């Protein structure tokens, strides 16, 4: 290909590396995306599932080059994250996107819990890893997997910046009166007990995207963000800064979720221990994996719950009503916290796709300025959109989240400096 010399209309091509690989390492999975930050385009995406089981699966899709759009599925056994990431590296290399590329600027890692120490993306050092390790007791399912992903990526590219982006970082702007629990201060400080919040990259992205949808700067807008997936959380964002959020010390607090109970009288735990004879681990499993929608009706898929409701299943209907009731309580509470609400934004799997959830969540809240236009609400789209009628005082929006892009943006901004 003949190169074109730079002119006034053709800006010179940057010789600096512009690609960022984003890794989201779960307890038995790895999600990944490779992005080119010149135009924020995705070059490849993929997922490794069931790591450590008898049969694992790697699903890889290149989005550039001769194989663009082709999905490749590899079913084999990946004993650990190291084997899984080695396989991911080979898949990327086969598309000419190898980790040895000089165009790769950094690898960004989603880390669930950063405590109070990390309020911004951070280049990983031994000291940073040690601090993430110290936070394992408050994120036992997530931080260990995040650490494993970082260490494996370091072994693959020891010369490259590894950057941790923390789920909790966006919420570190909460004032003390919102972040502290009303327990003995010395005990709380000694054991780092406070409300940290999670899904921060999603709340950050969606709150800014909602402001853009309204044609305003983030500093001018107050938004209630409802991140509704299998895990669910709400946040009150005033002028681009989080002032309250529903999750707490762990991701268990707050809204009713797929398998988590959300808000609960703490004495329920003592009752289960004393009366039911359950151990701490059994109670932990109950509240995190056997509660929420699955505990109420046996399903945590909102599509299946709605199908059952249509067939007259009262148990599914009650689960839905409890889910919506909790959601409304948080919308009302955060309206009070913010004082002025410019928008309520629904995002994540349920928030983006379940029109009945959005309709039910704002039904009866006209006094708060909230309403949904039935026709606009029924439209399926991947684009951010307003679904409230023109007369509504508060905009109701559906804003697809993009946590990987948010991570890549934060990582690239950091390493570019």
């Amino acid at each position: 290909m003949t190169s074109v010399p730079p002119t006034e209309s053709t800006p010179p091509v940057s010789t600096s590396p512009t690609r960022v690989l984003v890794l989201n390492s779960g307890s038995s999975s790895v999600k990944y995306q490779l992005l080119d930050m010149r135009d924020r385009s995705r070059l490849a995406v993929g997922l490794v599932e069931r790591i450590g089981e008898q049969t694992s699966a790697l699903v890889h899709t290149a989005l550039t080059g001769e194989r663009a759009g082709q999905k490749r599925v590899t079913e084999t056994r990946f004993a650990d994250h190291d084997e899984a990431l080695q396989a991911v590296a080979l898949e990327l290399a086969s598309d000419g996107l190898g980790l040895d590329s000089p165009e790769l600027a950094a690898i960004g890692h989603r880390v669930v819990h950063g405590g109070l120490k990390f309020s911004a993306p951070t280049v990983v050092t031994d000291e940073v890893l040690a601090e993430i390790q110290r936070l394992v007791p408050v994120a036992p399912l997530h931080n260990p997997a995040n650490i494993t992903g970082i260490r494996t990526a370091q072994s693959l590219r020891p010369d490259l910046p590894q950057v941790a982006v923390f789920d909790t970082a966006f919420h570190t702007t909460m004032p003390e009166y919102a972040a502290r629990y009303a327990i003995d201060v010395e005990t709380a400080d000694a054991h780092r007990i406070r409300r940290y919040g999670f899904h921060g990259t999603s709340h950050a992205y969606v709150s800014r995207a909602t402001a853009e949808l309204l044609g305003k700067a983030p500093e001018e807008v107050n938004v209630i963000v409802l991140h509704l997936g299998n895990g669910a959380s709400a946040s009150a964002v005033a002028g681009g800064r989080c002032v309250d959020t529903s999750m707490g010390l762990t991701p268990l607090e707050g809204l009713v979720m797929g398998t988590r109970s959300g808000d609960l009288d703490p004495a329920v735990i003592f009752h289960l221990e004393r009366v039911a004879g359950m151990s701490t681990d059994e109670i932990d499993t109950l509240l995190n994996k056997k509660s929420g929608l699955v505990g109420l009706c046996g399903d945590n898929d909102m599509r299946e719950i709605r199908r059952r409701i249509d067939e007259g299943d009262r148990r599914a209907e009650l689960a839905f009503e409890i889910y919506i009731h909790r959601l409304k309580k948080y919308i009302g509470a955060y309206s009070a916290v913010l004082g002025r609400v410019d928008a309520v934004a629904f995002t994540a799997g349920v928030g983006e796709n379940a029109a009945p959830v959005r309709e039910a969540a704002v039904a009866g809240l006209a006094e708060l300025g909230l309403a949904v236009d039935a026709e606009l609400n029924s439209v399926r789209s991947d684009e951010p959109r307003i679904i409230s009628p023109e007369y509504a005082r508060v905009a109701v929006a559906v804003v697809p989240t993009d946590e990987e892009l948010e991570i890549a943006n934060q990582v690239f901004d950091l390493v570019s400096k």
Side-chain angles (χ1 to χ4, degrees):
M1 179 181 294
T2 305
S3 61
V4 179
T7 66
E8 289 185 0
S9 59
T10 306
V13 177
S14 171
T15 57
S16 300
T18 58
R19 293 178 183 175
V20 174
L21 176 64
V22 175
L23 295 178
N24 181 352
S25 300
S27 57
S28 60
S29 66
V30 175
K31 296 178 185 177
Y32 62 94
Q33 291 194 11
L34 180 65
L35 299 94
D36 189 328
M37 302 311 294
R38 286 176 295 186
D39 57 3
R40 290 171 171 75
S41 61
R42 287 167 172 79
L43 304 178
V45 300
L47 169 66
V48 187
E49 295 182 289
R50 303 190 299 275
I51 297 171
E53 298 183 19
Q54 284 300 112
T55 303
S56 311
L58 192 167
V59 181
H60 174 89
T61 305
L63 301 175
T64 187
E66 295 180 358
R67 298 179 176 178
Q70 294 181 10
K71 181 182 292 186
R72 303 197 296 273
V73 180
T74 303
E75 292 193 344
T76 184
R77 183 173 190 271
F78 299 121
D80 51 32
H81 284 69
D82 184 65
E83 287 189 9
L85 285 171
Q86 294 279 359
V88 168
L90 289 174
E91 287 288 352
L92 290 168
S94 71
D95 292 321
L97 304 169
L99 297 191
D100 58 349
S101 169
E103 295 183 63
L104 191 59
I107 299 178
H109 300 266
R110 178 198 178 209
V111 178
V112 167
H113 214 310
L116 287 180
K117 191 175 182 68
F118 302 113
S119 59
T122 304
V123 175
V124 175
T125 63
D126 290 343
E127 291 75 19
V128 169
L129 270 177
E131 182 64 21
I132 297 171
Q133 181 68 48
R134 278 194 288 271
L135 289 162
V136 165
V138 288
L141 297 179
H142 300 93
N143 274 30
N146 302 154
I147 291 168
T148 301
I150 291 170
R151 285 178 171 155
T152 300
Q154 285 177 325
S155 70
L156 292 170
R157 278 298 302 269
D159 60 312
L160 205 65
Q162 308 286 333
V163 180
V165 177
F166 299 91
D167 268 14
T168 49
F170 183 65
H171 305 302
T172 57
T173 56
M174 281 192 295
E176 282 291 284
Y177 57 75
R180 279 202 176 265
Y181 292 110
I183 66 172
D184 172 67
V185 172
E186 286 74 20
T187 301
D189 288 349
H191 300 285
R192 306 185 186 196
I193 299 171
R194 61 185 290 121
R195 300 181 62 250
Y196 293 100
F198 299 89
H199 296 142
T201 51
S202 178
H203 287 280
Y205 179 87
V206 171
S207 59
R208 284 200 309 275
T210 302
E212 184 178 344
L213 187 62
L214 298 180
K216 298 182 178 181
E219 296 77 17
E220 302 174 314
V221 176
N222 289 355
V223 186
I224 297 173
V225 178
L226 303 173
H227 177 106
L228 308 179
N230 191 49
S233 61
S235 67
V237 183
R241 293 167 61 86
C242 177
V243 295
D244 207 347
T245 192
S246 58
M247 286 179 167
L249 174 72
T250 75
L252 181 59
E253 187 180 358
L255 302 175
V256 175
M257 302 175 227
T259 65
R260 299 177 198 147
S261 65
D263 292 338
L264 191 75
D265 179 352
V268 170
I269 297 170
F270 314 143
H271 181 79
L272 290 171
E273 183 180 25
R274 294 167 181 162
V275 177
M278 295 178 68
S279 69
T280 302
D281 286 344
E282 288 172 332
I283 297 171
D284 189 305
T285 299
L286 171 70
L287 299 182
N288 277 291
K289 298 181 179 179
K290 298 181 179 180
S291 296
L293 292 171
V294 78
L296 289 167
C297 71
D299 273 308
N300 62 331
D301 188 322
M302 188 58 70
R303 293 165 297 187
E304 181 63 16
I305 290 171
R306 291 302 308 176
R307 184 194 65 77
R308 288 171 55 184
I309 291 172
D310 291 341
E311 293 179 353
D313 188 321
R314 177 55 189 155
R315 189 176 170 191
E317 185 177 14
L318 178 60
F320 185 80
E321 290 170 347
I322 294 170
Y323 182 93
I324 295 298
H325 180 70
R326 185 79 56 83
L327 199 51
K328 282 188 174 183
K329 286 172 68 174
Y330 271 91
I331 293 172
Y334 287 172
S335 295
V337 166
L338 290 170
R340 185 198 84 243
V341 179
D342 298 297
V344 174
F346 289 87
T347 193
V350 174
E352 294 170 26
N353 298 299
V357 169
R358 299 191 294 262
E359 179 183 8
V362 302
L365 300 183
E367 289 295 320
L368 297 179
L370 292 164
V372 161
D373 180 289
E375 184 175 348
L376 293 175
N377 189 36
S378 65
V379 173
R380 297 294 295 268
S381 173
D382 293 330
E383 296 299 318
R385 59 200 184 277
I386 303 292
I387 60 170
S388 48
E390 290 186 5
Y391 64 78
R393 188 171 76 250
V394 178
V396 179
V398 181
V399 181
T401 192
D402 197 332
E403 294 176 88
E404 287 77 17
L405 178 58
E406 177 68 19
I407 292 170
N409 279 332
Q410 293 190 29
V411 168
F412 193 65
D413 285 347
L414 178 64
V415 299
S416 296
K417 294 174 182 176

